[in-house]
Amino acid sequence: MIAELGQFALILAFVVALFQSLALFAGLRTRDAVVHGFARAGAIAQFVLVLAAFACLTVLFATSDFTALVVAENSHTDKPMLYKITGVWGNHEGSMLLWGLILTGYTAALAWSAKPVEARLISLTFAVQSLITAAFTAFLLFTSNPFARLWPGPENGQDLNPLLQDPGLASHPPMLYAGYVGFSITFSFAVAALIDGRVDARWARIVRPWALTAWTFLTIGIALGASWAYYELGWGGWWAWDPVENASLMPWLAGTAFIHSLRVMEKRDTLKAWTILLALMTFALSMAGTFLVRSGIITSVHAFAVDPERGVFILAILVALIGGSLLIYGLRAGLLKPTGVFSAVSRESLLLINNLVLAAACGLVFFGTFYPLFITTVSNETVTVGAPFYNNTFNPMLGALLVLVPISGLLAWKRGKLMPVLRDLAPAAIAAIAGGVAALWIADRGLIAGALGTALAVWVAVGVVIDLAKRFKLGEIAFAASLARMARLPLGIWGMAVAHFGLAVVVFAITGVSAWKQETSAFLMPGQHLDIRQLTITLDRVEQVEGRNYVAERGYLTARRDQQVVSQLTAERRLYPVRGMSTTESAIHARATGDLYVTIGQPSPEHGWPVHVYLYPFAMWLWIGSAVLGLGGLLSIADRGRRSLVAKAAPVQAKEAGR
C-alpha cells in the first residue's frame, strides 16, 4: 500500500507539473491574470507530492519491505538503520527521486520568496521549471520507477554496495544534488528572461542569490565527496580525475564564472549575452553529469544505472532542454546588448578574463572526460586521460587565474589604474616569493611545482588581507574609525574575501598533498615494523571482529618517533558476505602539519598482512579550506537576504517619516 501511495503521488506530481507549465505558457500569451495566480500554488503542490513519494520510499527502506524491487536490490534486514535510510538514495531510482525532490524544493522556495513586482518573469520561470520537473518525473515513472513491485518478495535483500555504507553518504549526495539542481533555477530564470525579452541588472540581482546558493551547495558537496574518497576507498587519495568527479567539477567551474559574471552585470549592466550563456551552460553541464553517471556508459561506485534505455531518456531530456534553450538564445541574442562600458584596465576586464580562463579550464575537463568515451564508442580503442594530462594543462590555467585574484579585487570599476594596485600588492608579492623560496628550501629543493603552489597560495591569501585593509583604511585613519568601517562592511564583501582566502588555503593544501607526499608498504607479521621518514610503524596484532552485517580483520598499529609513541592506529579490512565484497577502513592520524594514513590488505599465509603507509602534508587543510570556501558563499547569500530586507523596509520607513 505504501508503494502504491508513493506511485500515485509521483503520477500526480507529473500531471501537476505538466499542466502548470502548459497553463502558464498559455496564460502568458493571453495575459490571463488568473493563470498567474496558480503559479505559486502549483509549485508548492509539486514539492508536497514529490516529498510524499520520497517519504513513502523512505518508509519502504526503513521497514525492509522487500516486495519493493529497489529495496530488495539495495537493502538487508541486518543493515544498520542509518544505512537503511541513506540507502534510499544509494541506488539509481532513489537517487533520481532525490533529484526530483530537490528540484521541486527549489521551485517551492521560489514560490515562497518571489516578489509580486516581477510577476511575469517569475511566472515564466515557474513554467520552465515545471517543464523540467515534468520531464524528470516522466523519467522516473517510465524508466526508473522507484515503486516497482517484486512478487513474491524475497525473505531478505541483496544489501547496499558496501562502499556506500558510510556516514558520508548521508550528506554527500544531497549536498551535491542541491548544487547540481540549484542551477536549474538560474537556467529557468535565463530562459524566462530570454522569452520576456528583458535582461538587465535587475534580473542579475534577482538571480545572483540562487546562483550563490547552488554554488555553495556544490562546493560543500564536492568537498564531502573528496573526503569520503580519502578515508573510505583506502587508496590514500582524494581526487583521481575520475569521470564522475569531473562531472561535478565542470558545473562548479562554470558556476564560478557565472557568479562573477553576474556581479559584473549587476554592477555595470554589461556582459549580458555571456552571463545568460553561462546560466544555460552551467545547468547543461549539470545535466551532462547526470547523463554520464546515470546512463551506464561508465562503471563507477557512483554510477548505478546499467539500462541503456535510461541513458537514452536522459539524453533526450538533455537535448530537448539545452537545445531548446540555445535556440531561444540564438533568436533573442539581439536583445542582449550591453549598456555599460569599461576600459581595458578595470575590474570588469579582469573578471572577464577570469571568466574566460574558467571557461577554458571547464572545456579542458569536458574534453578529458568525454573524449575517451567518444573514442570507445566509435571504435574498439581504449584511450585513457589521466592525471598527467590535467597536471600539464589544467594546473597552469589555475595558476594564471590565481595570479589575477588579488589584482581584480583592488582594481576600480569602469576605469582603473594598474600601477597603484601593483604597488599596494608589493607586500603580497614579497611574501609569495619568500613562501616559494622557503618551500623550495625546506620541503624539497627539486620540486618547483611545490614552490610555485606555495607562492600562489601566499599571494592570494596576503592579497585578500591587503584588500580588506584598504577597505578599512587601516593605517590611514584612526584605528577606531577603521573598526567602524569594518563593522559596516557588507557581508557580500566579507563573503568574497573569505571565499578567496579559503581558495588560498585549499591551493596550499593541494600543493602539500600532491608535491610532498610520501608512501611505503611492506608485508608485516605481528611485531614487525616498517619505517617512513622519522616514523616507525609497528603492527601490534590483528583480530577477527564481527559487525552487524560484516566480518573484519582489524589491525592494531603503533606509530613511534624516537621510541616515543605518536599514535595508536586501528585499520580494518571488511568483508560483506551478502554482496561478497570487501572494503578497506583506513586509519588516519590527522595533524595540522599532515596526516599519517595507514591501511591493511588481504593477508598472505607466508608473509603476513600488506601494510600501506602514506604521509600527506597539510591534508587537514583541504577540508578546512573547503569549509572556509563554503562559508564565503554562505556570507554572500546572507548579504543578499539582508539587502532584500532593507529594500522592503525602506518604503515603509519613508512613509512613516512623511507622516
Side-chain angles (χ1 to χ4, degrees), residues 386-453:
F389 168 78
Y390 294 103
N391 291 339
N392 293 326
T393 55
F394 183 86
N395 288 354
M397 289 186 182
L398 178 63
L401 186 67
L402 293 172
V403 170
L404 297 177
V405 169
I407 301 174
S408 63
L410 287 170
L411 269 178
W413 292 100
K414 192 175 181 179
R415 178 174 285 108
K417 294 182 179 180
L418 187 58
M419 290 311 298
V421 170
L422 294 180
R423 282 197 297 270
D424 290 336
L425 288 172
I430 295 170
I433 294 170
V437 171
L440 197 63
W441 182 261
I442 297 171
D444 192 328
R445 300 181 189 183
L447 287 174
I448 301 297
L452 288 175

Side-chain angles (χ1 to χ4, degrees), residues 228-464:
W228 171 77
Y230 181 66
Y231 69 76
E232 176 64 23
L233 297 185
W235 59 287
W238 56 278
W239 192 268
W241 295 104
D242 177 89
V244 178
E245 294 172 336
N246 293 351
S248 63
L249 179 61
M250 288 184 288
W252 187 88
L253 291 169
T256 303
F258 179 46
I259 59 177
H260 285 85
S261 184
L262 275 171
R263 178 59 177 154
V264 176
M265 185 175 169
E266 179 185 5
K267 187 77 175 180
R268 301 288 304 142
D269 197 34
T270 189
L271 301 184
K272 294 180 180 180
W274 174 248
T275 304
I276 291 290
L277 183 61
L278 282 175
L280 301 180
M281 297 314 298
T282 301
F283 184 59
L285 290 168
S286 296
M287 289 287 295
T290 302
F291 168 73
L292 187 69
V293 177
R294 307 302 173 196
S295 63
I297 62 175
I298 60 170
T299 301
S300 167
V301 67
H302 307 76
F304 306 122
V306 294
D307 184 357
E309 183 182 351
R310 294 169 172 174
V312 171
F313 202 114
I314 294 179
L315 184 60
I317 296 173
L318 177 63
V319 170
L321 289 177
I322 306 308
S325 65
L326 290 177
L327 177 61
I328 296 171
Y329 177 81
L331 294 174
R332 309 289 275 181
L335 301 173
L336 304 177
K337 296 178 180 178
T339 59
V341 294
F342 53 89
S343 69
V345 180
S346 63
R347 187 177 300 185
E348 294 96 323
S349 292
L350 257 68
L351 288 175
L352 179 58
I353 295 172
N354 156 293
N355 270 221
L356 294 175
V357 174
L358 284 168
C362 184
L364 185 75
V365 177
F366 185 90
F367 171 81
T369 303
F370 283 94
Y371 175 72
L373 300 176
F374 173 77
I375 294 297
T376 303
T377 302
V378 300
S379 69
N380 293 325
E381 261 188 276
T382 300
V383 177
T384 302
V385 175
F389 168 78
Y390 294 103
N391 291 339
N392 293 326
T393 55
F394 183 86
N395 288 354
M397 289 186 182
L398 178 63
L401 186 67
L402 293 172
V403 170
L404 297 177
V405 169
I407 301 174
S408 63
L410 287 170
L411 269 178
W413 292 100
K414 192 175 181 179
R415 178 174 285 108
K417 294 182 179 180
L418 187 58
M419 290 311 298
V421 170
L422 294 180
R423 282 197 297 270
D424 290 336
L425 288 172
I430 295 170
I433 294 170
V437 171
L440 197 63
W441 182 261
I442 297 171
D444 192 328
R445 300 181 189 183
L447 287 174
I448 301 297
L452 288 175
T454 302
L456 287 170
V458 173
W459 163 256
V460 173
V462 178
V464 168

Side-chain angles (χ1 to χ4, degrees), residues 2 84-85 103 136 140 149 160 210 235 253 255-256 261 299 327 336 375 377 382 464 522 572 579 656:
I2 297 296
K84 287 183 180 180
I85 300 301
L103 177 65
F136 270 90
L140 281 165
R149 284 294 196 179
L160 179 67
W210 298 99
W235 59 287
L253 291 169
T256 303
S261 184
T299 301
L327 177 61
L336 304 177
I375 294 297
T377 302
T382 300
V464 168
E572 289 185 8
R579 284 265 179 163
E656 291 177 350

Side-chain angles (χ1 to χ4, degrees), residues 39-44 105-115 122 126 210:
R40 292 190 180 190
I44 295 171
Y106 271 107
T107 313
L110 177 61
W112 178 77
S113 62
K115 301 178 181 63
I122 298 301
F126 279 134
W210 298 99

Side-chain angles (χ1 to χ4, degrees), residues 57-341:
L57 186 61
T58 303
V59 170
L60 292 174
F61 269 88
T63 58
S64 297
D65 186 346
F66 298 120
T67 62
L69 179 60
V70 70
V71 180
E73 291 180 344
N74 297 279
S75 193
H76 193 277
T77 51
D78 291 337
K79 192 166 65 172
M81 181 56 71
L82 171 64
Y83 302 138
K84 287 183 180 180
I85 300 301
T86 58
V88 173
W89 53 81
N91 58 85
H92 172 75
E93 292 82 1
S95 67
M96 294 313 296
L97 184 57
L98 175 65
W99 211 102
L101 177 64
I102 296 173
L103 177 65
T104 55
Y106 271 107
T107 313
L110 177 61
W112 178 77
S113 62
K115 301 178 181 63
V117 69
E118 298 289 345
R120 181 174 171 81
L121 176 65
I122 298 301
S123 294
L124 273 168
T125 303
F126 279 134
V128 179
Q129 194 76 357
S130 295
L131 195 60
I132 299 172
T133 301
F136 270 90
T137 48
F139 172 73
L140 281 165
L141 291 169
F142 298 126
T143 70
S144 305
N145 186 4
F147 300 105
R149 284 294 196 179
L150 180 63
W151 300 109
E155 292 185 8
N156 222 321
Q158 299 176 22
D159 207 0
L160 179 67
N161 185 335
L163 289 174
L164 303 179
Q165 295 187 36
D166 182 85
L169 186 67
S171 55
H172 165 53
M175 285 288 182
L176 198 64
Y177 280 14
Y180 278 157
V181 183
F183 286 116
S184 69
I185 284 284
T186 59
F187 171 87
S188 297
F189 265 116
V191 174
L194 288 171
I195 295 172
D196 194 32
R198 197 184 77 179
V199 181
D200 53 19
R202 170 68 177 168
W203 178 88
R205 281 191 291 273
I206 295 171
V207 172
R208 195 160 182 259
W210 298 99
L212 284 166
T213 300
W215 180 87
T216 301
F217 276 125
L218 188 56
T219 300
I220 297 170
I222 291 173
L224 289 171
S227 64
W228 171 77
Y230 181 66
Y231 69 76
E232 176 64 23
L233 297 185
W235 59 287
W238 56 278
W239 192 268
W241 295 104
D242 177 89
V244 178
E245 294 172 336
N246 293 351
S248 63
L249 179 61
M250 288 184 288
W252 187 88
L253 291 169
T256 303
F258 179 46
I259 59 177
H260 285 85
S261 184
L262 275 171
R263 178 59 177 154
V264 176
M265 185 175 169
E266 179 185 5
K267 187 77 175 180
R268 301 288 304 142
D269 197 34
T270 189
L271 301 184
K272 294 180 180 180
W274 174 248
T275 304
I276 291 290
L277 183 61
L278 282 175
L280 301 180
M281 297 314 298
T282 301
F283 184 59
L285 290 168
S286 296
M287 289 287 295
T290 302
F291 168 73
L292 187 69
V293 177
R294 307 302 173 196
S295 63
I297 62 175
I298 60 170
T299 301
S300 167
V301 67
H302 307 76
F304 306 122
V306 294
D307 184 357
E309 183 182 351
R310 294 169 172 174
V312 171
F313 202 114
I314 294 179
L315 184 60
I317 296 173
L318 177 63
V319 170
L321 289 177
I322 306 308
S325 65
L326 290 177
L327 177 61
I328 296 171
Y329 177 81
L331 294 174
R332 309 289 275 181
L335 301 173
L336 304 177
K337 296 178 180 178
T339 59
V341 294

